[in-house]
Amino acid sequence: MQTVHDRNVTNQFGPRANAYVESAVHSQGEDLERLGKITEGVAPAHALDLGCGGGHVAYAMARHAKKVTASDLSDEMLAAVATTAKSKGLGNIETVQTSAEKLPFADATFDMLGCRYSAHHWQDVDAGFREARRVSKRGATAVFIDVYAPAKPLLDTHLQSIELLRDTSHVRDYSISEWTDKLDCAGFAVNALRTWRLRMDFPVWIARMATPQLLADAIRALQQAAPAEIRDHFAIEPDGSFMLDMVMLETMAA
């Protein structure tokens, strides 16, 4: 049975499935290219795209894996992924509806796992990481990619506020220290860590989630009232476009 939070996530993302399949931010990037190269090196028999969203991790892995399972809370998102996989000629992708915190897979099912732009939606991220480790074989490669929160409380508070106003299913963007600590506690050893910045075009960012105008206006009010330190860090532009901090953690299931 889905929790209230799970229903909020599915209600937020289900109707916007095609927007996430087609999103340039989600469908492109050096991180996806890197993930493809990692998958090519691993050549997994069975890989998991955990919290697949528009399925871009699954598409990247499917070219080098024997089989890929794409999991997500939203049936509508999974239907879009299945349709897109078929159009790409990727017949080795299957879809499974599930929350990250309670995966319906046996222990040590997967020899590779990818998780991109998903963990900040999980109500219990620690449980999600424990489940990710449980279903991964010992020594399996696991790659996690997401927005990360700045260490300074002032910057962190601004980031969480605009994220929640834009998408009410948002839980938290974690700092790099939180990411590494949580992964370590779950049983993943971080082998490499890469960071970069990604520009969010404000009108596109808002439209992709169909954020109500009242909440979009609240985000703009926060941006306009922000002190210089916030405006400088996020490189806030006159139209509200800004920069996000991104991290890619390449890990191994210990």
Side-chain angles (χ1 to χ4, degrees):
M1 180 179 294
Q2 287 193 340
T3 66
V4 172
H5 176 73
D6 287 350
R7 287 196 295 274
N8 189 19
V9 172
T10 56
N11 290 339
Q12 286 286 92
F13 285 90
R16 298 162 189 94
N18 287 329
Y20 276 81
V21 170
E22 298 168 3
S23 165
V25 167
H26 293 78
S27 63
Q28 303 171 18
E30 292 183 8
D31 58 319
L32 271 181
E33 294 177 13
R34 171 65 182 165
L35 179 64
K37 290 184 182 300
I38 293 171
T39 311
E40 184 177 16
V42 173
H46 195 178
L48 173 65
D49 180 355
L50 179 59
C52 66
H56 303 293
V57 165
Y59 312 143
M61 294 195 298
R63 293 176 172 84
H64 309 289
K66 184 175 181 181
K67 178 181 179 181
V68 176
T69 296
S71 71
D72 201 89
L73 270 174
S74 168
D75 283 330
E76 292 171 271
M77 197 73 81
L78 293 171
V81 170
T83 298
T84 304
K86 184 177 181 180
S87 72
K88 291 177 177 289
L90 300 172
N92 58 338
I93 296 177
E94 67 170 11
T95 61
V96 174
Q97 193 277 330
T98 181
S99 71
E101 295 94 338
K102 294 182 179 179
L103 298 176
F105 310 118
D107 295 358
T109 296
F110 304 98
D111 50 352
M112 184 169 177
L113 180 149
C115 179
R116 184 173 184 253
Y117 303 161
S118 177
H120 61 268
H121 293 292
W122 301 350
Q123 189 169 24
D124 187 343
V125 73
D126 296 302
F129 287 154
R130 288 194 299 270
E131 279 291 270
R133 174 61 190 89
R134 180 184 66 77
V135 302
S136 297
K137 295 180 180 179
R138 183 178 295 276
T141 295
V143 180
F144 298 89
I145 303 166
D146 215 327
V147 179
Y148 75 88
K152 285 191 175 183
L154 177 69
L155 303 176
D156 175 82
T157 298
H158 177 84
L159 175 63
Q160 310 301 340
S161 298
I162 65 169
E163 287 267 51
L164 185 59
L165 286 168
R166 184 229 179 202
D167 169 18
T168 58
S169 72
H170 174 77
V171 175
R172 177 164 179 76
D173 292 323
Y174 299 96
S175 67
I176 286 182
S177 63
E178 288 175 315
W179 267 101
T180 55
D181 288 348
K182 289 176 180 296
L183 289 172
D184 179 68
C185 288
F188 290 101
V190 177
N191 296 324
L193 184 155
R194 302 160 185 264
T195 63
W196 69 99
R197 308 203 81 198
L198 185 63
R199 182 179 180 273
M200 294 290 108
D201 182 295
F202 188 84
V204 174
W205 184 64
I206 291 297
R208 187 163 55 244
M209 187 47 67
T211 302
Q213 190 60 49
L214 179 66
L215 298 182
D217 290 343
I219 294 172
R220 294 296 287 124
L222 281 179
Q223 290 178 323
Q224 290 161 4
E229 184 176 1
I230 288 175
R231 295 197 306 270
D232 291 346
H233 178 84
F234 294 103
I236 299 172
E237 301 173 26
D239 73 343
S241 300
F242 63 98
M243 301 294 286
L244 281 177
D245 297 300
M246 313 299 297
V247 64
M248 180 176 188
L249 302 107
E250 300 173 22
T251 79
M252 182 184 70

